[in-house]
């Protein structure tokens, strides 16, 4: 995680329903946690994550608006 946060820019891509739970854990309402290392990306200003509808299906509408 420390090495990840040293990057100026982080680009992520998730597609498919199999990723919905991981995406929701990382970018949803749950607190940032070492149990979900990708959740720290919420605090990195240079992070861009592209999701298809299936991968984003676990996010609440509020979360989608917050990250759009």
């Amino acid at each position: 995680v420390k090495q990840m946060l040293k990057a100026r820019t982080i680009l992520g891509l998730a597609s498919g329903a199999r990723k919905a739970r991981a995406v929701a854990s990382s970018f949803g309402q749950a607190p940032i946690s070492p149990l979900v290392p990708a959740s720290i990306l919420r605090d990195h200003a240079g992070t861009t994550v592209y999701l298809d509808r299936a991968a984003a299906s676990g996010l609440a509408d509020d979360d989608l608006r917050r990250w759009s």
Side-chain angles (χ1 to χ4, degrees):
V1 172
K2 285 183 184 182
Q3 288 302 107
M4 235 176 15
L5 295 177
K6 288 181 181 180
R8 283 186 294 176
T9 303
I10 298 172
L11 177 62
L13 173 67
S15 64
R18 289 186 4 224
K19 302 292 194 250
R21 193 164 137 203
V23 168
S25 297
S26 299
F27 298 100
Q29 297 295 318
I32 293 172
S33 167
L35 297 175
V36 184
S39 65
I40 196 66
L41 297 178
R42 290 187 231 167
D43 284 349
H44 191 286
T47 297
T48 301
V49 179
Y50 293 97
L51 307 171
D52 66 7
R53 288 181 192 267
S57 66
L59 292 171
D61 289 342
D62 289 344
D63 296 324
L64 290 170
R65 280 191 289 277
R66 179 172 39 148
W67 300 112
S68 295

